[in-house]
Amino acid sequence: AAEEGGGKNLKVPQIHLPPRLSNPGVGWEHHHRATTQFVHGHLSRMKANGDPTKYLVSNTDEWKILDEHKEEIDEIHLRDLLQDSERSGAMYAEHDGVYLDFSRQRATLETLDLLEDLAEKQELTQKIKAMMTGEKINFTEKRAVLHTALRADRTEKVYVDGKNVVEEVHEVLDQIKTFTEGVRSGSIRGYTGKRLRNIISVGIGGSYLGPEFLHEVLKTEPEGINSALGYDLRFLANVDPVDVERTCADLDPEETLIVIVSKTFTTAETMLNARTMRQWLWDFMGNDKEVVRKHIVACASTSATEKVKDFGIDTDKYFFRFWDWVGGRYSVCSAAGALPISLLYGFNLFEKFLKGAQSIDKHFATAPFRENIPMIMGMLGVWNHSFLNYKTRTTLPYAEALLKLPSHIQQLDMESNGKTMTKFGVEANYNVGEIDFGEPGTNGQHSFFQLLHMGQPVPCDFIGFCQSQHDLCLDGESFSSHDELMANFFAQPDALANGKTADEVRAEGISEEDIPHRVFKGNRPSMSLLLPKLTAYAAGQLLAIYEHRTAVQGFIWDINSFDQWGVELGKKLAIDVKNHLQEARNSDDHVIEASNPASSRILNYYV
Ligand code: F6P
């Protein structure tokens, strides 16, 4: 480990650590079924040895050393760390145009070494390999987690229950290509023979946020603009009837194709919106089952096929399947994203998005720790949250076209890691799962940045691009609007790290009385991702980086990042209330008696 932090000696216990692996060597080409059995191995050891709390990662030597190391880091200001050129020269990673600068993290080169030790102790590379090769690592649902297979080349092989899933993925991609080209060429038309030019994608959560993020990226991307000419894509997610009104008020149903995206095909909000859209079509074109067969398509899991058929959809031609090994929040690369996006922008552009994600998958599987962008981001996430105790973090894209990325990350990360139960069946006694929020810059600077600079410290991810999708330069000015935007992208991380001392404020001529209000403590961590340009490919890269960051953190914390029992509960809770409301609607004098007086009172007030 490099000697950092002003030459101070670390007060860490003398614990022997195994030598580091410099290359994870997951091996992208390595496609046989993984044999690590990392979940079951731990569980059987646990049963044999009694008290499961002793298996918590916080009891490992590697974790304890990091805990001690944190005290050392608390003594060092980022302002000083940033002056160390050896450190800055080592605290960046680069892959396929993506440049990650993590020198503004409250970490030294020694911190990185210790995080690498922790990653090794937690068998991070084996867990990544298990995920990518189809081991059933979603152990509460007994499912594989294979969103990486959704962007694998046709020639790759990944097996689940003896089936090569990549072959199935490409069957569906081919089906989507043919169908979307048919719609876009006019060979596939609506019930009355009109061209299908409007697409309404009905879905919620993971069946909505990822595709919407990608749609927003492509909306202003030159290739996207050209491909979308003459077409319109809208998303209907909320069960609020106002969302229906806003989505389809000005559309001609005869020219509209409804895409129902729901893995389970049971989600209450989506199914109500789907029925509403079906009714809307019938109201205009007559109550004929052919109307549904020509205007409604479905993207759903294979296990929902019967439900899709019962809805009236033509499951031979208008059903685009995905599989139970694709989690909802990881489904943007499946038919859930492929179909609506290809209908609007053409299949070729969607393929570029897949290629961008695939590039990061390969990097994640094979790059050494210090060069591995998602691994570094994930391990620093663990460092910030579990050791430095930052409970929140923010995503700040300096690109308006990424306006929906923070919402997507919010679900991706908070639904994945918003848990406390470990795989050992005992609760974590360390921080797990950050609160994520964000907003594009510079807008955010004029709303919540006050808190980032002077309130609670929040680790920030700045995301920027060397070139704009559309730059503007006024006559006679050499500095473009994109340069203006990016000047802020570069300035903010330094301001957060360095802060401003009382002396610096005084030197500006501020009165003694006002100085305390203008001092910035600084020492606020951030990292910066810089990419060449926001294209479909770059969007794929960003998506995969954040998906893998989440997985890394879950693997280290020993939680299952791939189930979502909390939201499943929420889905059922509304049923009781719906029953109460229905009873009240069916009679004039029914008084609701809910499970407690406060609920009874507010429900009776509502009806
Ligand atoms: O909100 C919970 C959730 O289960 C998400 O994980 C999922 O993306 C969303 O609901 C939608 O589910 P479905 O695609 O089955 O309609």
Side-chain angles (χ1 to χ4, degrees):
E3 195 55 52
E4 281 296 310
K8 290 181 182 169
N9 289 323
L10 290 179
K11 293 168 269 152
V12 293
Q14 292 303 303
I15 296 168
H16 176 72
L17 294 175
R20 275 176 203 106
L21 282 182
S22 58
N23 189 327
V26 171
W28 179 254
E29 70 292 341
H30 217 88
H31 287 300
H32 62 78
R33 281 210 52 178
T35 52
T36 49
Q37 299 291 327
F38 66 86
V39 173
H40 307 294
H42 278 290
L43 282 176
S44 49
R45 254 192 296 138
M46 185 190 101
K47 276 181 197 144
N49 291 314
D51 180 14
T53 55
K54 67 182 172 207
Y55 297 110
L56 291 176
V57 61
S58 50
N59 284 331
T60 62
D61 291 343
E62 289 74 4
W63 189 277
K64 288 176 188 164
I65 291 174
L66 275 159
D67 240 350
E68 296 278 340
H69 176 67
K70 174 219 179 269
E71 283 171 29
E72 193 71 19
I73 290 294
D74 279 345
E75 302 294 312
I76 316 169
H77 198 285
L78 250 181
R79 188 192 299 134
D80 300 323
L81 284 178
L82 269 175
Q83 294 308 318
D84 181 338
S85 52
E86 187 202 337
R87 175 182 171 279
S88 302
M91 282 191 148
Y92 76 93
E94 215 181 327
H95 168 73
D96 193 14
V98 182
Y99 182 96
L100 171 71
D101 178 351
F102 50 97
S103 60
R104 287 171 197 79
Q105 288 289 302
R106 291 185 52 214
T108 60
L109 298 183
E110 170 143 33
T111 318
L112 294 182
D113 282 343
L114 298 178
L115 288 171
E116 190 174 351
D117 290 337
L118 178 65
E120 193 158 315
K121 175 69 181 176
Q122 287 298 85
E123 302 183 331
L124 180 61
T125 58
Q126 292 92 321
K127 289 173 181 177
I128 293 167
K129 178 176 173 179
M131 177 176 80
M132 288 184 162
T133 53
E135 197 173 315
K136 295 193 175 169
I137 65 167
N138 174 354
F139 52 90
T140 59
E141 297 180 299
K142 300 185 179 48
R143 289 177 180 168
V145 176
L146 271 176
H147 41 281
T148 48
L150 297 171
R151 49 248 191 174
D153 280 335
R154 206 178 277 275
T155 51
E156 309 281 353
K157 289 183 174 50
V158 180
Y159 291 96
V160 175
D161 298 330
K163 256 194 199 162
N164 175 15
V165 297
V166 179
E167 212 173 291
E168 294 186 272
V169 164
H170 281 271
E171 264 170 36
V172 177
L173 286 175
D174 290 344
Q175 185 199 2
I176 290 173
K177 183 173 192 292
T178 309
F179 178 77
T180 55
E181 283 174 0
V183 171
R184 290 168 63 80
S185 68
S187 66
I188 296 175
R189 291 181 178 237
Y191 178 72
T192 58
K194 282 195 185 175
R195 292 280 297 267
L196 295 164
R197 296 185 178 282
N198 314 316
I199 300 112
I200 298 179
S201 185
V202 182
I204 197 163
S207 294
Y208 153 58
L209 292 163
E212 195 192 38
F213 137 71
L214 181 55
H215 172 48
E216 289 297 337
V217 166
L218 298 178
K219 220 185 214 176
T220 41
E221 200 269 336
E223 229 182 309
I225 293 175
N226 282 336
S227 322
L229 276 179
Y231 298 93
D232 190 4
L233 169 63
R234 300 179 188 187
F235 291 89
L236 174 57
N238 201 335
V239 75
D240 183 341
V242 175
D243 204 13
V244 174
E245 177 66 18
R246 291 159 75 116
T247 303
C248 58
D250 59 337
L251 296 183
D252 176 357
E254 292 177 51
E255 294 191 342
T256 302
L257 183 68
I258 311 291
V259 181
I260 304 172
V261 184
S262 176
K263 180 177 167 183
T264 54
F265 223 71
T266 56
T267 305
E269 295 94 323
T270 299
M271 295 326 294
L272 176 53
N273 278 335
R275 292 196 302 277
T276 305
M277 288 292 90
R278 183 174 61 183
Q279 188 63 53
W280 179 71
L281 295 170
W282 278 337
D283 287 349
F284 279 87
M285 287 179 276
N287 198 333
D288 182 346
K289 64 180 190 210
E290 273 307 300
V291 169
V292 179
R293 291 170 72 84
K294 295 264 191 244
H295 285 264
I296 306 187
V297 305
C299 303
S301 147
T302 44
S303 52
T305 310
E306 281 310 307
K307 294 189 185 84
V308 174
K309 194 181 261 170
D310 292 346
F311 193 84
I313 291 167
D314 176 354
T315 44
D316 290 334
K317 287 194 244 150
Y318 285 28
F319 174 42
F320 303 88
R321 66 197 197 279
F322 52 103
W323 305 269
D324 69 3
W325 43 261
V326 183
R329 54 195 173 273
Y330 297 90
S331 68
V332 55
C333 293
S334 74
L339 190 70
I341 295 296
S342 304
L343 281 164
L344 186 70
Y345 298 105
F347 183 76
N348 289 349
L349 207 48
F350 187 76
E351 260 191 323
K352 291 183 184 174
F353 170 71
L354 293 183
K355 288 283 176 224
Q358 188 200 74
S359 160
I360 295 296
D361 295 343
K362 290 182 178 178
H363 165 75
F364 184 48
T366 56
F369 182 84
R370 287 289 182 93
E371 294 163 28
N372 197 313
I373 291 172
M375 231 183 241
I376 290 283
M377 288 174 67
M379 292 309 295
L380 287 169
V382 170
W383 171 239
N384 283 331
H385 189 36
S386 301
F387 295 93
L388 300 184
N389 206 22
Y390 296 120
K391 299 215 163 88
T392 311
R393 71 181 163 194
T394 180
T395 313
L396 306 166
Y398 277 62
E400 191 59 22
L402 281 181
L403 81 164
K404 290 291 175 182
L405 178 67
S407 318
H408 179 58
I409 291 177
Q410 221 168 273
Q411 185 195 8
L412 174 66
D413 205 83
M414 290 167 74
E415 199 169 85
S416 296
N417 290 343
K419 297 157 191 173
T420 55
M421 187 51 65
T422 65
K423 68 185 183 189
F424 307 113
V426 286
E427 288 211 295
N429 57 7
Y430 40 87
N431 288 343
V432 173
E434 301 88 335
I435 298 165
D436 283 286
F437 71 101
E439 184 78 29
T442 62
N443 292 11
Q445 290 177 203
H446 300 275
S447 60
F448 55 81
F449 269 50
Q450 167 61 36
L451 181 141
L452 301 187
H453 284 289
M454 298 180 104
Q456 292 181 42
V458 178
C460 305
D461 278 10
F462 288 88
I463 303 171
F465 298 89
C466 298
Q467 268 184 56
S468 173
Q469 287 182 334
H470 292 276
D471 208 355
L472 283 173
C473 198
L474 298 181
D475 291 346
E477 292 188 16
S478 57
F479 198 71
S480 74
S481 299
H482 184 67
D483 286 336
E484 177 81 31
L485 172 75
M486 292 302 287
N488 286 276
F489 166 87
F490 292 113
Q492 288 288 338
D494 270 341
L496 288 163
N498 294 326
K500 202 185 246 185
T501 63
D503 284 344
E504 286 166 335
V505 179
R506 192 170 290 114
E508 289 172 356
I510 305 297
S511 72
E512 284 303 315
E513 186 181 76
D514 286 342
I515 286 173
H517 300 281
R518 311 236 184 156
V519 167
F520 293 75
K521 286 190 195 143
N523 206 25
R524 288 158 188 253
S526 69
M527 57 178 100
S528 304
L529 274 168
L530 184 61
L531 289 86
K533 198 172 182 173
L534 183 50
T535 57
Y537 188 86
Q541 290 179 309
L542 283 172
L543 176 91
I545 286 172
Y546 280 100
E547 285 178 348
H548 297 327
R549 177 187 73 171
T550 294
V552 167
Q553 295 193 211
F555 288 149
I556 299 299
W557 285 327
D558 279 327
I559 57 164
N560 180 0
S561 301
F562 306 104
D563 60 12
Q564 58 286 319
W565 297 106
V567 267
E568 300 301 338
L569 172 74
K571 286 180 182 177
K572 293 195 183 78
L573 287 178
I575 294 172
D576 282 349
V577 178
K578 275 200 270 190
N579 291 338
H580 283 309
L581 293 179
Q582 239 153 27
E583 274 171 6
R585 295 287 182 223
N586 289 339
S587 104
D588 289 339
D589 51 5
H590 181 80
V591 177
I592 295 174
E593 282 190 40
S595 60
N596 61 67
S599 297
S600 304
R601 187 182 297 273
I602 197 165
L603 284 171
N604 285 309
Y605 183 86
Y606 171 72
V607 294

